[in-house]
Amino acid sequence: MNKKYLLLFIVQLLFAASAFAQYPKMDKLLYGVAYYDEYMPYERLDKDVQMMKACGINVVRIAESTWSTEEPQDGVFDFTHIDRVLNAMQKAGIHVIIGTPTYAVPTWMVKKHPEILAITPSGQNQYGPRQNMDITNKDYRFYAERVIRKIMEHVKDNKAVIGYQVDNETKSYGTAGPNVQALFVNYMKAKYKTLDNINHIFGLDYWSNRINNWDDFPSMVNTINGSLSSEFAKFQRQLVTDYLAWQAAIVREYKRPDQFITQNFDLEWHGYSFGIQPDVDHFAAAKALDIAGIDIYHPSQDKLTGVEISFGGDVARSMKGGKNYLTIETEAQGFPQWVPYPGQLRLQAFSHLASGANMVSYWPWHSIHNSAETYWKGLLSHDFEPNPVYDEAKTIGKDFDRLSSKLINLKKKNDVAILFSNEALTGFKAFGFGWGTRTGYNDVLRQYYDGLYHMNIGCDFVDPTSKNIEDYKLLIVPLLYAAPDSLLKRLNAYVKNGGHIIYTCKSGFADENVKVRTTHQPGIIDEACGIYYSQFTEPSNASLKADDWNLKPEDKRLNTWMELITPTTAKVLAYYDHPVWGKYAAITENTYGKGLATYIGCLTTSAVTDKLLTDAVKKVGLWGADQQIAWPVITKQGINQGGKTVHYYFNYSANETNLTYPYSNGKELLSGQNISKNSDLKLEPWGVKIIEAN
């Protein structure tokens, strides 16, 4: 096919997939598990269904992990396990979500086409782990499309099937082989037209990296150019967006109007779900889906705070412009250190709902007896018998069933947003805060998000493509290292028209091609911030000088980075406390037009972050009754489908606590008790109360 027409076809495919995506109508909370009949050591499907029914499980997710069982040899299909589960679940009245099994390839495929295994910066992958393939490989795509179509033809009319999950925690997996290189070169030709443009924009004269012939375009695997590596990362994210849209378009050919398409996006991983995923453009990839899905895993026991549940939920809800989402995977027991204390499973389940989830589903139903995830335990332990976690899940299932009409489709309206940027994330990653420094983009972002969470301020996420940035009263912008002039001018206008913005250090530094601006820093936003700087350093023996902040000396300490700021029109909130750098500002605030811009030119402790956030929240008029409630009590709220406000109260501690309920009279939904304004609420350890206000 002519390349021009191939590109046009891809664009049309993406448009079609996005255009037909529509949010599914849901009238019942989904409480589910991932279920693998294929893994069972002995026959027990009927017993599992019986235990699921007793637990209130009303949906299972199947088939996404077992391509080699569904197609044991090339073109030989065996859907025995799918049929067994579908028949059993349909008879039991349990819904099913079918996953396309494309993230783990069978042995016969690799033997026949070893080039399907991705070539990455570490060399060619070997068979064994999942997600080892090249998602652009034409032979892989042939087999993937074939198995998707065969499964869809087989299951689409089954009334138990309510939706489809395309692939699983999809990323590009570092694919960078010759075919990917060829695609990247074509991408660069289409975007930048000439090599002279590329050489100039990306500064390729440095170290003789200049490219003088398209045939000489080097692999990105070992590039030392941060601009090129960031562009390649953007290209790899686009591969994921295209791949998921391609799968969704195939599924959409078969699915019924009452069935949905989703995907279980995951987050950056720091031993648990932590931050914005650098390998996926979630907002772009979600356009081809009917409903966003998320996988959220988090510390438990004494380390349970709920912040990862809240963070993942806010990201997922924001993917589709505030629409409700599905928690497709979360832990029941998980790792040994994650086995929940009594009450924590309930606390976690309702925490998902409070952020706008319409489904909570555990991975998996049953612990697995061998292979890689043997000791990532499911809702059932290895003996498949009831256990304390299963017994607690039964109470959740009953409450989800009883209270669905009150808790489903919770609508949330927030006045605070965090502006994140995949381009800034990968651009910053190329340089960071200097060699050997481990602090990354998500470390900074999470410090601000966690501060908002602890003060019970609801938060959305926006990215540079978002149309609704101007709708928020307060915008937090962490490490906006790489950004086009147009975005920075838009943010200046946001402030000028009355918005309050908080920038961290390293914002406005480079353009969209990760080329450092030749002006004073911070580039362009210096106008709204009323500052400039040209030097930065490490804060050796430096802290903050802000005597009126009433902070302990250790709270004023700095780490990793400091910019030596000179104010032009800005008010200085804190100087550096240092014998040499003490004349420079560290944190400033500037009135610009009708709004306010705060700039934080250093990495501070959470105590300083929290003080700045508190001050900003008060200045935009958002400090209210919920902010009188202190951590470890977390409160969230939203409007239910009956038009009433639902207030959630969570006690993330092992100690009983009391608070005063500040809103209008209502009913506590879990107990059925009437609650009057200003009455005392007692929260047991790891307890939860849900009040529907009249």
Side-chain angles (χ1 to χ4, degrees):
M1 183 182 288
N2 182 288
K3 289 179 181 177
K4 176 181 176 182
Y5 292 107
L6 178 60
L7 181 61
L8 180 62
F9 173 75
I10 291 172
V11 170
Q12 290 173 334
L13 180 66
L14 290 174
F15 176 79
S18 301
F20 287 105
Q22 55 183 341
Y23 186 78
K25 184 176 185 291
M26 300 186 71
D27 56 10
K28 189 89 170 177
L29 289 172
L30 295 175
Y31 191 46
V33 291
Y35 185 66
Y36 305 102
D37 183 59
E38 302 92 328
Y39 299 170
M40 284 300 179
Y42 59 86
E43 173 58 47
R44 58 171 289 117
L45 178 57
D46 290 343
K47 178 65 173 177
D48 283 325
V49 170
Q50 178 187 342
M51 293 182 73
M52 288 179 191
K53 291 288 286 182
C55 193
I57 298 298
N58 60 11
V59 63
V60 297
R61 182 185 60 146
I62 68 171
E64 89 286 350
S65 294
T66 50
W67 191 346
S68 63
T69 307
E70 294 150 22
E71 190 179 2
Q73 289 297 321
D74 185 359
V76 178
F77 297 95
D78 182 354
F79 299 136
T80 302
H81 289 282
I82 292 177
D83 290 341
R84 276 169 47 81
V85 175
L86 279 179
N87 292 338
M89 298 303 164
Q90 186 173 15
K91 187 183 299 183
I94 296 175
H95 302 302
V96 179
I97 297 172
I98 300 283
T100 62
T102 47
Y103 83 115
V105 298
T107 53
W108 59 259
M109 187 188 304
V110 174
K111 183 178 180 181
K112 191 170 184 177
H113 299 282
E115 68 279 4
I116 280 173
L117 295 175
I119 296 173
T120 75
S122 301
Q124 186 166 26
N125 288 334
Q126 299 299 304
Y127 187 81
R130 64 182 189 173
Q131 299 170 321
N132 56 1
M133 70 289 180
D134 172 10
I135 62 172
T136 73
N137 179 275
K138 62 180 179 60
D139 293 311
Y140 167 76
R141 287 288 189 104
F142 168 81
Y143 293 120
E145 179 172 354
R146 186 175 69 180
V147 75
I148 293 169
R149 290 188 183 279
K150 289 290 186 182
I151 289 175
M152 291 302 301
E153 289 167 0
H154 195 76
V155 305
K156 62 184 176 63
D157 295 324
N158 190 294
K159 296 301 181 185
V161 179
I162 60 169
Y164 303 94
Q165 174 189 304
V166 286
D167 206 67
N168 184 82
E169 296 182 340
T170 311
K171 292 172 280 294
S172 65
Y173 317 124
T175 186
N179 60 316
V180 175
Q181 174 70 10
L183 290 172
F184 180 60
V185 172
N186 287 336
Y187 162 91
M188 295 294 281
K189 284 180 180 178
K191 184 171 182 178
Y192 294 103
K193 309 303 181 189
T194 71
L195 283 171
D196 284 343
N197 284 340
I198 292 172
N199 288 319
H200 172 70
I201 290 169
F202 292 96
L204 297 183
D205 286 316
Y206 182 81
W207 277 6
S208 196
N209 275 198
R210 182 178 181 85
I211 307 168
N212 295 306
N213 188 303
W214 285 108
D215 292 336
D216 299 335
F217 207 109
S219 167
M220 294 297 99
V221 166
N222 205 39
T223 183
I224 50 85
N225 186 289
S227 298
L228 269 181
S229 63
S230 297
E231 190 68 44
F232 189 60
K234 184 188 298 184
F235 164 77
Q236 288 178 310
R237 287 192 295 272
Q238 185 62 47
L239 294 180
V240 177
T241 299
D242 294 347
Y243 173 74
L244 290 176
W246 171 76
Q247 283 216 20
I250 296 170
V251 171
R252 191 159 275 115
E253 289 181 36
Y254 297 88
K255 82 172 192 73
R256 303 191 309 266
D258 61 327
Q259 295 172 327
F260 60 79
I261 299 174
T262 188
Q263 216 270 337
N264 58 329
F265 294 111
D266 65 352
L267 300 163
E268 189 182 41
W269 187 261
H270 279 195
Y272 50 86
S273 302
F274 181 72
I276 299 298
Q277 173 59 256
D279 297 329
V280 183
D281 185 340
H282 282 150
F283 281 28
K287 288 180 180 178
L289 310 175
D290 299 316
I291 185 168
I294 190 81
D295 290 354
I296 302 173
Y297 294 101
H298 52 83
S300 191
Q301 299 182 14
D302 295 327
K303 295 181 180 179
L304 178 64
T305 65
V307 66
E308 285 80 26
I309 296 174
S310 180
F311 177 85
D314 287 345
V315 170
R317 192 185 62 250
S318 298
M319 284 183 207
K320 299 291 283 185
K323 293 178 180 176
N324 302 99
Y325 60 95
L326 309 177
T327 303
I328 294 178
E329 289 186 22
T330 191
E331 72 217 51
Q333 298 186 78
F335 293 138
Q337 67 269 28
W338 286 356
V339 176
Y341 292 155
Q344 287 189 338
L345 198 73
R346 285 180 59 80
L347 181 66
Q348 292 161 196
F350 287 105
S351 294
H352 289 289
L353 300 189
S355 287
N358 276 348
M359 176 172 109
V360 177
S361 182
Y362 302 117
W363 194 93
W365 164 250
H366 47 85
S367 297
I368 298 166
H369 294 77
N370 52 280
S371 203
E373 293 170 315
T374 296
Y375 289 100
W376 186 305
K377 291 177 67 178
L379 190 57
L380 300 185
S381 296
H382 292 100
D383 60 5
F384 295 151
E385 296 295 326
N387 62 66
V389 177
Y390 170 81
D391 290 338
E392 192 167 308
K394 289 169 72 173
T395 72
I396 299 167
K398 288 176 182 173
D399 284 335
F400 273 26
D401 181 64
R402 179 171 59 92
L403 299 174
S404 260
S405 64
K406 304 285 188 181
L407 303 182
I408 197 170
N409 298 323
L410 190 73
K411 297 303 172 196
K412 299 178 70 69
K413 172 67 171 69
N414 293 316
D415 291 310
V416 179
I418 292 177
L419 172 66
F420 76 96
S421 165
N422 285 106
E423 287 73 22
L425 192 165
T426 51
F428 179 77
K429 187 177 181 180
F431 300 101
F433 287 115
W435 285 281
T437 302
R438 300 184 66 179
T439 302
Y441 180 92
N442 279 313
D443 295 296
V444 177
L445 183 150
R446 275 291 303 269
Q447 184 172 341
Y448 285 83
Y449 179 86
D450 291 10
L452 293 171
Y453 173 78
H454 286 124
M455 64 180 64
N456 291 312
I457 294 293
C459 179
D460 292 340
F461 284 87
V462 292
D463 82 346
T465 69
S466 297
K467 306 297 184 187
N468 62 331
I469 289 174
E470 288 75 13
D471 296 343
Y472 295 92
K473 294 181 179 179
L474 175 62
L475 201 60
I476 314 295
V477 186
L479 289 178
L480 190 58
Y481 179 73
D485 291 2
S486 58
L487 175 61
L488 301 182
K489 290 175 181 177
R490 181 183 178 189
L491 295 177
N492 280 351
Y494 164 83
V495 179
K496 194 170 189 177
N497 291 329
H500 189 163
I501 201 164
I502 297 178
Y503 288 107
T504 75
C505 57
K506 295 292 276 188
S507 291
F509 208 85
D511 67 14
E512 67 270 30
N513 298 305
V514 198
K515 189 172 188 177
V516 174
R517 289 186 164 86
T518 58
T519 60
H520 277 147
Q521 296 292 352
I524 298 180
I525 60 172
D526 61 340
E527 181 181 335
C529 293
I531 60 169
Y532 73 90
Y533 71 91
S534 61
Q535 290 184 293
F536 43 81
T537 187
E538 292 184 354
S540 179
N541 299 316
S543 60
L544 290 178
K545 184 164 55 182
D547 297 332
D548 59 337
W549 279 10
N550 194 29
L551 293 174
K552 300 173 184 176
E554 58 266 30
D555 290 335
K556 297 180 183 179
R557 289 176 185 159
L558 304 176
N559 67 85
T560 309
W561 188 262
M562 56 190 288
E563 295 163 354
L564 307 181
I565 294 172
T566 298
T568 53
T569 58
K571 170 187 174 183
V572 178
L573 300 181
Y575 285 96
Y576 292 115
D577 191 359
H578 187 273
V580 176
W581 311 129
K583 65 180 181 178
Y584 292 106
I587 303 171
T588 62
E589 180 182 89
N590 189 54
T591 300
Y592 180 70
K594 300 176 183 177
L596 206 60
T598 302
Y599 189 89
I600 305 165
C602 47
L603 293 189
T604 71
T605 63
S606 295
V608 171
T609 303
D610 291 349
K611 178 167 184 56
L612 293 168
L613 288 172
T614 298
D615 182 59
V617 168
K618 288 180 177 178
K619 284 177 177 173
V620 296
L622 296 177
W623 196 267
D626 289 347
Q627 286 62 59
Q628 309 305 315
I629 297 172
W631 170 259
V633 175
I634 290 295
T635 181
K636 289 178 176 285
Q637 63 177 273
I639 306 296
N640 68 12
Q641 58 188 8
K644 294 186 176 182
T645 301
V646 176
H647 299 274
Y648 285 86
Y649 296 93
F650 303 105
N651 180 14
Y652 277 98
S653 80
N655 301 311
E656 183 180 290
T657 188
N658 292 273
L659 60 99
T660 300
Y661 170 67
Y663 295 103
S664 60
N665 298 349
K667 178 174 284 189
E668 202 286 305
L669 296 176
L670 295 172
S671 65
Q673 294 180 341
N674 292 324
I675 301 292
S676 57
K677 183 177 180 178
N678 295 325
S679 63
D680 185 64
L681 274 186
K682 181 173 73 173
L683 287 170
E684 65 271 17
W686 312 111
V688 56
K689 302 283 188 188
I690 309 170
I691 299 173
E692 182 185 53
N694 293 333

